[in-house]
Amino acid sequence: MASLIGSVFLLVLQTYAAPPEFIQVGTGTTSGPGMPGNDTVGPSLVPPPGTSKRTPQSIIIGVRKGGTRALLEMLDIHPEVAAAATEVHFFDWDENYAKGFDWYRNLMPYSYPHQITVEKTPGYFTSALAPERIHAMNSSIKLLLILRDPAERVISDYTQVYFNRLENHKPVQAIENMLVRNGALNTRYKAIQRSLYDVHMSNWLQHFPLEQIHIVDGDTLIRNPLPELQKVERFLNLPPRIVSSNFYFNQTKGFYCIRSDGRERCLHESKGRPHPVVNGTVLRQLRSYLREHNHNFYRMVKRSFNWL
């Protein structure tokens, strides 16, 4: 009798707690790198008729601390975009890549044939292996690269690590101690290496033509999101659906938030954290070192940016 009651209770729970049409995509909530997030339909749920899980037709390849989460959340407004909720790290982590394309596809959201599946993993841009691996999957895939001022990106990178270490009760160092070693700029510091955009871009251009890589200006996206999103729509051949009313400026947070489907949402509180004030001499050293790399990058992509 007890087992019969338990079975009935489970049936009721499956029927009322999770209707079959429920599917949640692009909420920004994750279950950890490479793990299914809110976009995953559980074993007791039936995906919407006509949908399937497909490998992405577009990937946001980076850059770390360049605005990848903001770009994905804003792009997810579009009704013809199905956004993966997690950073999959398939093409940059060997242990995940070894699991194969079926494993990768299973982490994608269910989508209709007219929709574009998009995933984002910031680590792809600086990975030596990601370009070749993505090309092997789909040589005609459309890539989205969002970049910001590389010196500001370094500071933002440090800030994220700083707060993560604080939260995990680990020792922290002042940013100047990370940027300078023995009186000289510490060019081996990982945050600086990630900001050498020309070095990483040269690797991507060995596998993809520039026409397949759309660069989003991350600094502009934060100040005025709509024009950048409209460029992305055109690049992905999406009908124009994102409009100015989809965004509103949150005075408390100091950046734009999203309004869509009658809901308002802002990025996680970890976004937009205040940056430390960096010693002026050290900051000038950093900018001076990055300047040549920036100009090399401008020549590569046939476009310039307002980076100091």
Side-chain angles (χ1 to χ4, degrees):
M1 176 64 72
S3 62
L4 177 60
I5 293 173
S7 298
V8 172
F9 176 75
L10 180 60
L11 179 61
V12 171
L13 195 63
Q14 290 176 342
T15 303
Y16 292 100
E21 66 273 15
F22 178 76
I23 189 166
Q24 198 169 11
V25 180
T27 62
T29 304
T30 67
S31 304
M35 298 297 291
N38 284 347
D39 62 311
T40 303
V41 175
S44 65
L45 302 182
V46 178
T51 65
S52 63
K53 292 190 175 189
R54 297 178 294 160
T55 53
Q57 292 83 49
S58 180
I59 298 177
I60 300 173
I61 59 174
V63 64
R64 171 182 162 114
K65 305 312 296 177
T68 58
R69 172 54 60 183
L71 176 59
L72 185 71
E73 293 283 344
M74 291 174 179
L75 189 56
D76 193 34
I77 295 169
H78 202 290
E80 295 188 14
V81 169
T86 62
E87 291 181 5
V88 182
H89 287 282
F90 179 65
F91 297 102
D92 61 334
W93 289 4
D94 291 343
E95 60 270 30
N96 282 348
Y97 191 69
K99 296 173 183 177
F101 286 110
D102 287 341
W103 178 87
Y104 178 58
R105 185 185 300 107
N106 193 50
L107 295 180
M108 295 301 110
Y110 283 93
S111 63
Y112 291 96
H114 69 277
Q115 290 181 307
I116 292 177
T117 298
V118 180
E119 77 118 323
K120 75 103 176 175
T121 300
Y124 290 162
F125 183 58
T126 57
S127 166
L129 296 173
E132 182 177 1
R133 288 172 171 178
I134 293 176
H135 186 273
M137 178 188 73
N138 182 357
S139 61
S140 61
I141 195 167
K142 294 193 172 186
L143 304 171
L144 295 170
L145 173 62
I146 180 167
L147 301 175
R148 64 190 295 197
D149 181 311
E152 290 298 320
R153 199 219 63 80
V154 169
I155 299 168
S156 185
D157 198 321
Y158 162 85
T159 302
Q160 175 173 291
V161 174
Y162 175 87
F163 278 101
N164 286 345
R165 292 185 68 85
L166 280 184
E167 290 166 3
N168 289 289
H169 308 289
K170 294 181 178 180
V172 295
Q173 295 189 57
I175 187 170
E176 288 82 2
N177 293 340
M178 304 299 293
L179 290 172
V180 176
R181 286 283 189 274
N182 301 318
L185 191 70
N186 178 20
T187 58
R188 301 187 67 179
Y189 178 32
K190 284 185 177 180
I192 293 179
Q193 288 290 313
R194 294 187 187 109
S195 277
L196 305 182
Y197 299 156
D198 60 328
V199 173
H200 306 300
M201 193 67 177
S202 65
N203 189 25
W204 285 90
L205 291 176
Q206 290 179 31
H207 300 277
F208 294 96
L210 185 59
E211 293 72 26
Q212 276 179 240
I213 306 174
H214 177 73
I215 300 172
V216 178
D217 188 329
D219 298 308
T220 301
L221 184 76
I222 296 301
R223 295 193 305 268
N224 187 14
L226 183 59
E228 289 299 310
L229 268 296
Q230 290 173 330
K231 293 174 187 174
V232 173
E233 283 181 322
R234 291 192 291 271
F235 174 70
L236 297 178
N237 294 321
L238 292 168
R241 294 289 183 270
I242 301 174
V243 295
S244 58
S245 59
N246 288 131
F247 308 103
Y248 68 96
F249 190 79
N250 186 303
Q251 294 288 348
T252 302
K253 292 181 174 293
F255 53 76
Y256 278 90
C257 296
I258 299 167
R259 183 185 291 115
S260 178
D261 298 326
R263 297 183 300 120
E264 295 182 353
R265 65 185 189 275
C266 291
L267 296 178
H268 189 265
E269 61 184 10
S270 64
K271 307 298 181 181
R273 283 169 168 163
H275 288 179
V277 177
V278 184
N279 175 278
T281 301
V282 173
L283 185 58
R284 284 190 292 274
Q285 280 182 283
L286 175 62
R287 291 196 180 280
S288 176
Y289 175 73
L290 292 172
R291 193 165 292 123
E292 183 177 350
H293 288 281
N294 294 345
H295 287 298
N296 287 339
F297 180 75
Y298 297 164
R299 286 192 289 271
M300 281 181 178
V301 300
K302 302 178 177 62
R303 177 180 171 187
S304 61
F305 296 81
N306 295 321
W307 301 333
L308 300 178

